[in-house]
Amino acid sequence: MPVIARMIPSPVSVIVEHGALDGLPDILSDHRISTTGQVAIVVSAGSGEALRARFSPLLPDADWYTVADGTMASAVRLSSELKGGRYDAVVALGGGKVIDAAKYAAGRIGLPTVACATNLAHDGICSPVSILDDESGRQSVGVSCPIVAVVDLDVVREAPSRFVASGVGEVLSNLSAVADWELSHVQTGEVTDGLATAMARSAGLVMLRHTGGIHQSGFAAQLAESLVISGIAMNIAGSTRPSSGACHEISHAFDILYPTRRAPHGEQVGLGAAFASYLRGDKELAGELAHTLRRHGLPATAAQIHFSAEEFARAAHYAPQTRPGRFTILEHVNLSEADLRAAYEEYLAHVGL
């Protein structure tokens, strides 16, 4: 009987441990990424200087680059700068904006990316997309998965607590996103992927059921692994579908409608996931999500990120426009802004807020 194997795009190695970045030269060498240390290291324009001072002695032959922000313009500028050197790989050392800009820039010039996350606010550590801002809003651009993902738990521990908690909201939103994907399969015939949904759902359930908190030993490692699994699920699916549904549509609507007031991405998608679950009729999950969000200091209401009920309803009504062609519970119920406002008030009453 012939054996049919599925080829899954994923990092060749994922390292989540204390002091991981101290071994970065060995990681590059052992995986035959760069035996000479001739790599381009990308950091942010702010905290990146401290990282450069700390880690540049480990890779004396590396060149260091900075990105000002998470815009398409910065990512394109970075790719132009990288063309001037001869490198074995691009090492992204920072948060989501740095990693997304580096993944995009490296892809434009045909180099592999090593993603070294310094916080856990995002699931882009090894995802096949870069989230970049341009004049028309926030864009999701397809890129290659990083060849190696590194999370140094000692470095992550130094990040603001809000960034760690934001990652919890990001992973929890998988539960709503997967449910939206399965809803689309039933309603529109959209093809789903059982392996991708299983991985994304498992990552979300781990965070939902975890009894620890962001400051407790072992929690950061579990969160990091869940974020990596979420990224691999997207690689398997070939899109963001396993981790992005109505929850992310609502978040993108906040970004577009209220660009100067938007909260961290993980906070917005966590709230969006709880509300979308309520709309979907899964009131038990909506309650569990709201409870877990509150336990980690994340917002479970619009007021907790300084938006009124009317502004939330406006964002939820606008949300389907942010992902044309993507079918979620928002497209399915197709409620007016007034009806969404009423549904939001019912959600608040249901979760006791």
Side-chain angles (χ1 to χ4, degrees):
M1 177 180 292
V3 176
I4 301 176
R6 177 197 287 229
M7 303 300 291
I8 299 175
S10 69
V12 298
S13 183
V14 175
I15 300 102
V16 179
E17 58 188 43
H18 293 279
L21 285 175
D22 292 330
L24 185 56
D26 291 335
I27 292 171
L28 296 173
S29 178
D30 292 347
H31 291 90
R32 301 295 187 268
I33 297 168
S34 177
T35 57
T36 64
Q38 292 179 316
V39 295
I41 303 180
V42 182
V43 295
S44 71
S47 60
E49 287 305 310
L51 293 170
R52 179 172 183 171
R54 177 174 177 180
F55 293 109
S56 58
L58 298 177
L59 291 163
D61 294 320
D63 290 333
W64 291 72
Y65 295 85
T66 60
V67 288
D69 49 40
T71 62
M72 179 69 75
S74 289
V76 171
R77 188 179 307 112
L78 174 63
S79 68
S80 297
E81 293 171 350
L82 292 173
K83 288 179 182 178
R86 297 178 62 85
Y87 305 114
D88 299 320
V90 175
V91 177
L93 181 56
K97 292 179 180 180
V98 169
I99 291 176
D100 282 346
K103 287 192 296 185
Y104 179 83
R108 281 173 64 96
I109 59 176
L111 289 176
T113 308
V114 177
C116 302
T118 58
N119 67 54
L120 299 177
H122 58 96
D123 61 7
I125 301 172
C126 62
S127 74
V129 294
S130 285
I131 309 299
L132 300 167
D133 292 329
D134 62 17
E135 61 277 0
S136 60
R138 182 158 287 182
Q139 306 298 322
S140 297
V141 184
V143 296
S144 296
C145 172
I147 194 169
V148 170
V150 181
V151 179
D152 188 324
L153 296 174
D154 293 331
V155 173
V156 165
R157 185 169 53 192
E158 298 171 3
S161 297
R162 191 177 187 185
F163 288 164
V164 180
S166 184
V168 176
E170 182 87 288
V171 177
L172 288 174
S173 74
N174 286 2
L175 298 172
S176 178
V178 166
D180 275 335
W181 198 10
E182 293 173 335
L183 173 67
S184 181
H185 174 69
V186 172
Q187 296 295 324
T188 72
E190 180 182 356
V191 176
T192 57
D193 187 296
L195 180 57
T197 57
M199 293 181 71
R201 182 184 287 115
S202 296
L205 287 173
V206 165
M207 286 293 102
L208 189 69
R209 307 290 185 230
H210 202 297
T211 58
I214 61 174
H215 299 294
Q216 292 182 317
S217 177
F219 185 86
Q222 187 66 77
L223 175 57
E225 291 169 359
S226 295
L227 290 166
V228 167
I229 290 170
S230 296
I232 294 175
M234 287 185 269
N235 280 302
I236 292 169
S239 75
T240 60
R241 206 45 162 126
S243 299
S244 176
C247 48
H248 280 62
E249 288 184 337
I250 291 172
S251 178
H252 292 314
F254 276 123
D255 294 340
I256 293 169
L257 297 175
Y258 316 110
T260 62
R261 298 168 54 201
R262 62 193 188 191
H265 177 74
E267 295 184 5
Q268 293 181 169
V269 299
L271 168 60
F275 177 67
S277 298
Y278 182 83
L279 274 186
R280 209 178 293 106
D282 194 343
K283 296 182 179 180
E284 180 179 357
L285 177 59
E288 286 187 287
L289 286 171
H291 171 75
T292 304
L293 291 170
R294 284 181 287 177
R295 188 165 62 83
H296 290 293
L298 289 162
T301 72
Q304 291 168 341
I305 49 174
H306 310 296
F307 289 105
S308 67
E310 291 80 6
E311 289 172 323
F312 180 85
R314 182 188 176 205
H317 188 254
Y318 182 87
Q321 299 180 51
T322 68
R323 285 290 181 272
R326 179 157 292 188
F327 189 88
T328 76
I329 187 59
L330 293 173
E331 288 80 4
H332 181 58
V333 297
N334 193 28
L335 297 178
S336 67
E337 189 171 326
D339 287 339
L340 284 166
R341 165 68 193 276
Y344 175 68
E345 295 293 348
E346 293 171 3
Y347 157 77
L348 294 180
H350 173 69
V351 299
L353 293 169

